[in-house]
């Protein structure tokens, strides 16, 4: 009898502890920049392996409207944390000086901004764009860097015809030869071209970061009120995300399964290839291997801000790196090196 009573009390204590633990979870809605694709695998890995939960977080991951538009959602508090373009954050803060949104972890050490062409266009260097037709959606994040690309590579842009094309027809127009090249995100445009039936050898990707662009890419950025009230939650999210990236880097074949569970209509082979491309070109660059993921080089960020000023006229004083990025929520270096 006493033994049974003791077991009952113990079971009740475990149940109460689990209820308290569940109640202690901090709810966090996380906004991606785009759809559930290969590049989003690290976050779903962190979710599926319980890394967020272990940090006391109840994370919900939503798709996003693009690497620029979502910043306003974080600023408004609709999402406490999101994954968006840090260059666009510089412009957003200049236009909204009362919104103290900051990046807390650099995810894409190199951006995916690219010029994509076909072999028959014979574009091998930036200068080869002279005399060509470049298809570029006006709102494209890669095209936003065109003036920097022109300046750094001494392109005579009067010799390049810019054709404003819609996102849905950008790759089809290139595949059909209606434009000679397009601007886009490498890991999107490349695979869109493959889906049009082009062979790998016929698709040429010129990363802008290989040709003078020192800009960073997408980063985790947080709502300032949420960060102030929940600093441990923000640090925990960063820590768990780093684990998700590390696991994805070590075993992308396993990581892509976490995406496919949530996007069953996607092509697993394509999404795996997309993940591998982004891990190599954006997430885990040589600098990241040497210095760990998540941080920035302050001198490079200063230079990047100078480049942003080529494409955007700041109404207020140019921001400093500390206005856009803080290391307050990053774990120690030994937890950030792969």
């Amino acid at each position: 009898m006493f033994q049974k009573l003791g077991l009952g009390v113990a079971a009740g204590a475990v149940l109460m502890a689990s209820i308290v633990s569940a109640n202690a979870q901090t709810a966090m809605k996380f906004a991606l920049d785009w759809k559930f694709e290969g590049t989003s695998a690290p976050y779903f890995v962190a979710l599926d392996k319980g890394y967020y939960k272990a940090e006391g977080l109840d994370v919900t991951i939503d798709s996003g409207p693009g690497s620029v538009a979502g910043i306003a959602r974080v600023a408004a508090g609709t999402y406490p944390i999101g994954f968006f373009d840090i260059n666009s954050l510089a412009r957003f803060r200049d236009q909204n000086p009362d919104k103290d949104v900051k990046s807390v972890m650099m995810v894409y050490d190199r951006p995916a901004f690219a010029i994509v062409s076909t072999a028959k266009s014979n574009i091998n260097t930036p200068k080869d764009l002279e005399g060509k037709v470049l298809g570029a959606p006006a709102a494209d994040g890669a095209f936003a860097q065109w003036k920097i690309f022109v300046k750094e590579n001494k392109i005579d842009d009067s010799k390049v015809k810019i054709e404003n094309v819609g996102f849905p027809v950008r790759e089809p127009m290139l595949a059909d030869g209606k434009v000679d090249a397009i601007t886009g995100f490498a890991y999107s445009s490349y695979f869109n071209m493959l889906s049009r039936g082009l062979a790998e050898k016929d698709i040429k990707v010129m990363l802008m970061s290989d040709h003078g662009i020192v800009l960073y890419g997408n980063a985790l950025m947080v709502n300032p009120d949420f960060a102030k009230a929940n600093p441990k939650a923000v640090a925990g999210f960063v820590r768990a995300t780093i684990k998700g990236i590390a696991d994805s880097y070590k075993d992308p074949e396993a990581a892509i399964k976490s995406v496919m569970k949530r996007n069953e209509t996607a092509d697993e082979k394509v999404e795996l290839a997309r993940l591998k491309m982004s891990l190599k070109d954006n997430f885990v660059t040589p600098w990241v291997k040497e210095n760990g993921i998540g941080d920035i080089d302050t001198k490079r960020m200063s230079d990047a801000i100078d480049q942003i000023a080529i494409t955007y006229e700041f109404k207020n004083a140019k921001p400093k790196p500390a206005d856009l990025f803080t290391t307050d929520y990053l774990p120690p270096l030994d937890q950030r090196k792969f």
Side-chain angles (χ1 to χ4, degrees):
M1 168 106 181
F2 288 110
Q3 186 177 16
K4 289 182 180 179
L5 180 60
L7 288 172
V9 171
V14 170
L15 177 60
M16 286 301 295
S18 65
I19 292 173
V20 171
S21 176
N23 289 338
Q25 296 275 306
T26 300
M28 287 185 76
K29 290 174 62 181
F30 172 55
L32 291 171
D33 60 332
W34 195 233
K35 303 172 185 177
F36 293 176
E37 295 181 332
T39 52
S40 58
Y43 309 105
F44 292 121
V45 168
L47 192 64
D48 289 345
K49 290 195 172 184
Y51 295 152
Y52 293 128
K53 186 176 181 180
E55 296 287 353
L57 305 176
D58 179 15
V59 173
T60 302
I61 302 175
D62 291 340
S63 58
S67 61
V68 177
I71 296 174
R73 297 183 180 184
V74 172
T78 306
Y79 286 89
I81 191 163
F83 174 62
F84 303 114
D85 176 44
I86 196 169
N87 311 295
S88 299
L89 177 62
R91 294 187 284 270
F92 178 87
R93 284 186 53 122
D94 184 60
Q95 296 161 12
N96 302 272
D98 59 322
K99 306 294 185 184
D100 191 25
V101 179
K102 279 194 175 81
S103 299
V104 295
M105 175 185 168
M106 183 53 62
V107 180
Y108 287 170
D109 179 61
R110 295 205 305 172
F113 308 141
I115 304 291
V116 181
S117 62
T118 58
K120 65 181 180 182
S121 295
N122 198 31
I123 297 172
N124 301 305
T125 70
K127 288 282 285 182
D128 292 336
L129 285 163
E130 295 178 2
K132 307 291 187 181
V133 178
L134 178 68
D140 178 46
F143 181 58
Q145 321 312 326
W146 173 246
K147 288 184 179 179
I148 307 172
F149 191 71
V150 165
K151 181 178 180 181
E152 293 295 333
N153 294 284
K154 297 179 173 56
I155 298 170
D156 183 348
D157 60 345
S158 69
K159 296 180 180 178
V160 183
K161 181 181 179 182
I162 306 294
E163 188 160 336
N164 183 11
V165 301
F167 285 104
V169 300
R170 173 175 53 184
E171 286 83 12
M173 288 183 70
L174 176 58
D176 294 342
K178 294 179 180 177
V179 295
D180 299 304
I182 58 174
T183 61
F185 279 38
Y187 53 65
S188 292
S189 291
Y190 175 80
F191 292 103
N192 288 342
M193 292 294 288
L194 281 181
S195 72
R196 302 293 303 176
L198 273 76
E200 290 185 21
K201 64 181 178 64
D202 292 328
I203 306 169
K204 304 178 78 170
V205 177
M206 186 186 300
L207 287 171
M208 291 183 173
S209 59
D210 287 336
H211 297 277
I213 300 289
V214 300
L215 303 176
Y216 282 93
N218 280 24
L220 296 185
M221 46 192 72
V222 298
N223 176 274
D225 294 332
F226 182 87
K228 185 177 180 180
N230 303 275
K232 289 184 179 179
V234 175
F237 188 92
V238 169
R239 197 159 40 240
T241 298
I242 290 172
K243 291 179 181 178
I245 295 172
D247 285 1
S248 299
Y249 181 67
K250 292 172 186 173
D251 193 351
E253 285 79 9
I256 205 64
K257 303 295 183 184
S258 288
V259 175
M260 298 309 298
K261 287 197 304 186
R262 297 164 173 91
N263 187 355
E264 296 178 354
T265 62
D267 184 320
E268 184 169 341
K269 289 184 179 179
V270 169
E271 295 312 321
L272 175 59
R274 193 193 310 273
L275 172 60
K276 287 181 175 180
M277 175 185 280
S278 63
L279 285 168
K280 176 177 67 72
D281 291 341
N282 312 117
F283 285 95
V284 190
T285 64
W287 191 91
V288 168
K289 289 179 180 179
E290 180 70 24
N291 299 279
I293 194 163
D295 204 351
I296 62 169
D297 178 271
T298 304
K299 172 63 167 61
R300 176 184 161 191
M301 180 61 82
S302 294
D303 292 341
I305 292 169
D306 288 340
Q307 285 195 336
I308 293 170
I310 296 172
T311 63
Y312 175 81
E313 184 177 349
F314 287 100
K315 299 175 184 177
N316 304 295
K318 272 195 305 187
K320 298 174 182 176
D323 296 324
L324 306 178
F325 186 89
T326 176
T327 60
D328 288 352
Y329 305 95
L330 288 177
L333 178 60
D334 63 346
Q335 295 179 33
R336 297 188 288 107
K337 294 195 79 170
F338 296 169

